Amino acid sequence: MRLFLALEPPAELRDALGRLGDIAQARCGGRRMPTASLHLTLAFLGEVDETQVPALRAWVAERPIAAATWQLDTWGTFQRPAIVWVGGQAPDARLIALHQAVWDGLAAFGFNDRPARFVPHVTLLRRAQRLATSELPAVDLTWPYQQLSLVHSSLDHQGARYTTLARSPIA
C-alpha cells in the first residue's frame, strides 16, 4: 500500500486552496489537483507492506499533535516534475518540529528515509506548462491544524485517489 502522513485542511480552507488551484491552472496550465485531495505531506512512506498498516494506524490514532497554525503567503514551484504550490515564505518552526517528530516516531517502524530538506507546501498543479508565479495573486491564508492523518494513495487512470486510514486524536 502506498502511504503518507499528512495534515488535511479544514473544508473552508480546502475550498480556498481549490480556488487558487483554478487561478493557477488558468495561468500556468497543467493538471490541477482535485480540491478534495489537497493536503500538506509530512512524511511520504511509499509502498508499505500491508502487515505494517494496523500498527501504523494504531500509532497515528494514539498520537495527538499540538494545535497550531500555518501561514500560507507565497507561491512556489518545483522544476521537476513541474509543480506549482502554495506555502509559507518563512520557515515555520512548529511545522518543522512536527515533521521531525513524525519521522522520529516512524523510525520505530523501520522508516529511515527522512528527506534531507522539508519544504512545507500544498501542491495545486502538476505538469504545469508555465512555472511563472509572479502573475498570480497574493496569497494570505491561515491553516489551523490539530490532527495528523495516515493516508492511502491508490493510483488509477484518473490519477491518485486518497483514503484516510487513521487520524490522531485532537489534543
Side-chain angles (χ1 to χ4, degrees):
M1 296 181 82
R2 189 171 180 230
L3 302 178
F4 62 91
L5 291 158
L7 298 177
E8 297 177 291
E12 186 175 298
L13 176 61
R14 185 172 277 168
D15 291 343
L17 291 166
R19 288 188 294 276
L20 288 176
D22 290 339
I23 293 166
Q25 186 180 39
R27 302 247 173 103
C28 301
R31 184 170 60 91
R32 183 187 172 292
M33 300 306 297
T35 300
S37 70
L38 298 175
H39 65 277
L40 165 63
T41 300
L42 288 170
F44 180 74
L45 305 180
E47 288 297 327
V48 175
D49 189 300
E50 289 191 33
T51 61
Q52 284 189 289
V53 174
L56 285 167
R57 288 174 84 157
W59 180 74
V60 169
E62 297 167 356
R63 181 181 184 79
I65 64 169
T69 59
W70 177 37
Q71 190 63 35
L72 293 92
D73 57 6
T74 193
W75 292 92
T77 63
F78 295 130
Q79 291 291 98
R80 291 189 182 141
I83 287 176
V84 174
W85 53 265
V86 292
Q89 287 183 3
D92 187 296
R94 292 169 298 189
L95 272 179
I96 292 168
L98 177 57
H99 174 257
Q100 291 172 342
V102 165
W103 276 105
D104 289 347
L106 288 169
F109 296 95
F111 296 103
N112 297 306
D113 295 330
R114 182 188 313 228
R117 185 169 165 234
F118 175 54
V119 179
H121 69 280
V122 178
T123 298
L124 299 177
L125 299 177
R126 293 188 184 278
R127 294 193 300 261
Q129 286 125 14
R130 295 181 61 225
L131 293 177
T133 59
S134 61
E135 299 173 7
L136 296 171
V139 177
D140 185 16
L141 298 171
T142 301
W143 182 332
Y145 61 88
Q146 58 186 354
Q147 200 168 38
L148 179 66
S149 298
L150 175 66
V151 182
H152 172 226
S153 172
S154 57
L155 299 173
D156 62 23
H157 66 281
Q158 295 178 340
R161 295 194 186 277
Y162 301 142
T163 304
T164 301
L165 301 178
R167 287 191 174 97
S168 65
I170 296 175

